[in-house]
Amino acid sequence: MSPALGWLKRIAFGVLVTVITFYTLFPFYWAVVSSLKEGSALFQVEWWPKKPAWHNYVAVFTEQPFGRNLLNSVLVASSVVIVSLFLAITAAFALARIRFRGRTPLMLMILGVSMFPQIAVLSGMFELIRALGLYNKLPGLTLSYMLFTLPFTVWVLTTFMRELPKELEEAAVVDGATPWVVCMHVFLPLLRPALVTTGLLAFIAAWNEFIFALTFTMDQESRTVPVAIALMSGASQFESPWGLIMAASVIVTVPLIVLVLIFQRSIVSGLMAGAVKG
Amino acid sequence: MLARQRVRAAWLFLLPTLVVLAGVAGWPLLRTFWFAFTNVSFAANEPPEFVGLENFVVVMEDESWWRSVRNTFLFTGVSVTLETVLGMIIALTLNSRFRGRGVLRAAVLVPWAIPTVVSAKMWGWMFNDQYGVINEMFLYVGLISEPIAWTVDPDLSMAAIIAVDVWKTTPFMTLLLLAALQMLPDELYEAARLDGAHPVLVFFRITLPLIRGPMLVAIIFRVLDALRVFDLFYVLTSNSAESMSMAVYARQQMFEFQDLGPGAAAATLLFALIALFTIIYMVLGRDAVIQEAA
């Protein structure tokens, strides 16, 4: 291969990488730029804000109950993580370490539930939530989110629990440990990375959920962030407060990006464990 | 003796999870199926009556339903195809060693983490007919002569929705394909290189056949996700009758028109469709699934 051809190849590859990076990051960059523009500046295309203004970031908290919406999202997502991990740890232990009849069908059923379209349970769930007196309340969302976080956490934790060495368990059993002791005192400390990964993925799923949050809440104060952003309206029906929406979008996205960058490796491994590898 | 105790412990350990799943998955699903065959209403006080297939007939005769079916399939087909091709290109890129690979790998995770609703709003602003940056770019390059109303025209809004979905979901596809690529042994490529085989030929003759399994599983996984699409359509097209997905149609029947029966019937049909694909998925990935589950 001639050196010129080598250079050409290298340049082409560089262009490809640049294009991929640009396509991936530009929408987010544009949201940041737009959120820093005030008044009429928003309606002129400038590639960076000449006079960055924080007005939108202040207004989103003063003109909208956005602080409350953020708190709602944090509360719902955290409670979803706690409850689903709490339930999934023992379930995953049983599925990963104990042989019993009906285990495989059970695993397949759990996998099947994780594929449920939310719309298929929407009306039944609405009825259930109203009957429990949870309509327009945060616990109603926590409960309904179990539909997609629980199967997922059980499945992923089961794959992690399988990897643990048999000898550990056997030694503990010889010492007279019950399954409960093995699960809670021998395995749990070793599972910390797995719990962080699964918890994080469950948190992101709950943080981003839309259709249940839209259907099971009524007033602005009980909305979670995605619903608040989707339904944010201006002074009149015909103007969309784009500056506010972009500011809210950036506020919601930055913590997620930070989390993803910190836990990059574990997120990828968790996603891999969640999607069945062929 | 000990084994019997362990089995009992297993069921006790599983009990809370199974109870919760029965409550939030099994029961609501059965209720939805039941609603689909009754003249139920959340407002009325008299108990619902069984009406047979009436609701399904109502849905089948509704033109909007068929449009939503067409939209959903078009969306699924085009976006999953694009995501697979793009995901493959990016995965192959990430699979070669170059400076800044870590940065790129982190960058492709960003769209995945952003909430769908937020992605839809970000792109909705970029697609804005009067002030959108996309029209601006296209005008500048000369692709269009006047600004286009992307999210109003049903055909164009479909293109816009697909663009957002491709942007958001390609990273997931990339990760799955990259994992498959990284499992391939280097020796194969060594041999191909010694024979002087062209890279394109190597890809189609060696790489593609070897990762076909994981690729199919990833595709079905994405198809299942795309068929139940709701957020993107709901947020981007302001709910116009021409551009709805099946899930948007079903929810509109149930909660905006208060036609719970037909809405539940539509939801049941969508469930049946996804169940079918789930079974295909489990059969295709059977060895893997059973291996994981056994």
Side-chain angles (χ1 to χ4, degrees):
Chain A
M1 196 160 61
S2 66
L5 202 63
W7 273 111
L8 256 179
K9 265 196 168 157
R10 215 173 274 175
I11 289 168
F13 190 76
V15 169
L16 180 69
V17 171
T18 313
V19 168
I20 292 171
T21 315
F22 176 80
Y23 169 66
T24 306
L25 297 179
F26 180 77
F28 181 64
Y29 168 78
W30 193 242
V32 173
V33 170
S34 304
S35 70
L36 292 170
K37 288 178 178 173
E38 236 183 320
S40 61
L42 187 61
F43 304 119
Q44 282 135 24
V45 174
E46 287 171 356
W47 299 106
W48 49 85
K50 290 203 173 69
K51 296 187 294 249
W54 294 97
H55 164 80
N56 289 321
Y57 287 88
V58 177
V60 89
F61 288 104
T62 52
E63 294 170 18
Q64 307 267 355
F66 195 65
R68 185 61 209 275
N69 301 140
L70 273 171
L71 180 69
N72 291 343
S73 274
V74 169
L75 288 173
V76 170
S78 315
S79 60
V80 163
V81 169
I82 292 165
V83 177
S84 36
L85 285 182
F86 180 78
L87 292 169
I89 288 167
T90 54
F93 180 86
L95 291 168
R97 313 296 300 197
I98 302 175
R99 305 198 66 114
F100 58 92
R101 205 177 306 157
R103 189 175 63 166
T104 306
L106 213 54
M107 282 292 276
L108 290 179
M109 193 192 77
I110 288 172
L111 183 68
V113 170
S114 70
M115 310 260 179
F116 268 27
Q118 285 173 278
I119 188 79
V121 299
L122 194 65
S123 53
M125 191 80 91
F126 180 74
E127 186 195 40
L128 179 72
I129 280 182
R130 278 214 317 194
L132 294 171
L134 296 176
Y135 179 67
N136 205 26
K137 296 196 179 83
L138 298 182
L141 295 185
T142 306
L143 178 71
S144 59
Y145 288 6
M146 288 299 126
L147 172 74
F148 52 91
T149 57
L150 194 52
F152 167 81
T153 38
V154 169
W155 185 270
V156 177
L157 280 181
T158 304
T159 31
F160 278 119
M161 283 238 195
R162 267 209 193 126
E163 316 272 293
L164 296 174
K166 220 177 151 73
E167 294 74 24
L168 267 178
E169 197 179 351
E170 280 165 357
V173 171
V174 169
D175 288 343
T178 58
W180 175 258
V181 172
V182 175
C183 176
M184 290 299 164
H185 297 278
V186 181
F187 280 2
L188 204 55
L190 297 172
L191 280 172
R192 206 164 298 153
L195 290 178
V196 169
T197 302
T198 354
L200 194 66
L201 289 168
F203 187 93
I204 291 175
W207 182 264
N208 297 356
E209 199 282 335
F210 182 62
I211 187 168
F212 282 171
L214 177 73
T215 311
F216 304 147
T217 58
M218 200 166 49
D219 39 63
Q220 271 194 307
E221 278 70 32
S222 12
R223 286 176 189 161
T224 56
V225 164
V227 183
I229 289 176
L231 304 181
M232 214 174 261
S233 51
S236 79
Q237 204 192 326
F238 300 105
E239 63 170 317
S240 251
W242 286 109
L244 292 186
I245 292 173
M246 288 303 121
S249 299
V250 172
I251 293 168
V252 176
T253 308
V254 167
L256 283 176
I257 292 181
V258 172
L259 281 178
V260 165
L261 295 186
I262 295 174
F263 294 104
Q264 221 193 114
R265 287 199 177 281
S266 54
I267 285 181
V268 173
S269 72
L271 282 177
M272 291 303 137
V276 180
K277 296 191 282 281
Chain B
M1 194 59 240
L2 195 63
R4 274 248 303 275
Q5 270 177 345
R6 279 176 67 81
V7 169
R8 198 159 32 164
W11 285 106
L12 276 175
F13 276 19
L14 279 161
L15 192 65
T17 293
L18 294 179
V19 168
V20 171
L21 282 182
V24 298
W27 170 252
L29 186 69
L30 291 175
R31 289 300 286 170
T32 303
F33 291 164
W34 165 242
F35 291 155
F37 294 96
T38 62
N39 61 358
V40 66
S41 141
F42 279 137
N45 289 326
E46 53 265 21
E49 290 162 25
F50 182 78
V51 292
L53 290 172
E54 201 177 299
N55 292 322
F56 289 92
V57 173
V58 168
V59 170
M60 291 291 179
E61 284 174 348
D62 187 353
E63 217 173 293
S64 310
W65 162 252
W66 290 111
R67 207 175 291 130
S68 78
V69 172
R70 202 190 61 114
N71 285 344
T72 307
F73 275 83
L74 186 67
F75 166 82
T76 303
V78 177
S79 64
V80 174
T81 306
L82 287 173
E83 279 152 26
T84 309
V85 173
L86 272 176
M88 187 61 90
I89 292 171
I90 301 177
L92 287 169
T93 309
L94 283 172
N95 201 30
S96 48
R97 288 183 191 81
F98 62 92
R99 238 183 322 184
R101 183 167 77 157
V103 178
L104 184 60
R105 197 172 50 197
V108 297
L109 271 175
V110 168
W112 170 82
I114 295 179
T116 312
V117 173
V118 172
S119 312
K121 280 287 180 192
M122 282 180 184
W123 282 81
W125 170 231
M126 284 164 57
F127 277 120
N128 187 286
D129 47 357
Q130 285 166 287
Y131 314 112
V133 68
I134 290 182
N135 273 343
E136 191 74 22
M137 284 185 194
F138 283 5
L139 283 169
Y140 182 79
V141 184
L143 272 174
I144 53 176
S145 53
E146 54 193 34
I148 296 183
W150 290 98
T151 51
V152 182
D153 179 312
D155 293 334
L156 289 173
S157 68
M158 181 57 88
I161 289 170
I162 288 170
V164 185
D165 192 67
V166 167
W167 177 76
K168 185 170 162 46
T169 326
T170 301
F172 179 72
M173 205 67 176
T174 304
L175 287 177
L176 291 179
L177 293 172
L178 185 61
L181 286 174
Q182 285 176 336
M183 280 189 211
L184 300 179
D186 278 339
E187 295 85 41
L188 282 171
Y189 293 93
E190 219 38 67
R193 200 169 321 139
L194 289 175
D195 291 345
H198 194 276
V200 175
L201 196 69
V202 171
F203 173 76
F204 282 104
R205 285 283 165 78
I206 301 178
T207 311
L208 204 55
L210 283 173
I211 63 165
R212 216 186 58 194
M215 192 173 85
L216 275 179
V217 169
I219 288 173
I220 297 264
F221 213 77
R222 276 296 307 136
V223 165
L224 285 171
D225 231 5
L227 287 174
R228 56 188 171 188
V229 63
F230 176 84
D231 323 23
L232 284 178
F233 280 80
Y234 186 89
V235 174
L236 267 173
T237 61
S238 43
N239 253 344
S240 81
E242 259 104 37
S243 30
M244 285 194 290
S245 69
M246 286 156 80
V248 172
Y249 173 90
R251 187 182 177 279
Q252 190 182 56
Q253 294 288 322
M254 283 186 233
F255 290 96
E256 281 162 45
F257 301 162
Q258 302 293 328
D259 287 336
L260 197 51
T268 303
L269 290 170
L270 179 58
F271 178 83
L273 180 72
I274 287 177
L276 183 74
F277 275 94
T278 306
I279 291 164
I280 294 175
Y281 165 78
M282 287 188 177
V283 170
L284 263 184
R286 185 174 42 203
D287 308 338
V289 175
I290 299 288
Q291 212 175 22
E292 294 271 343

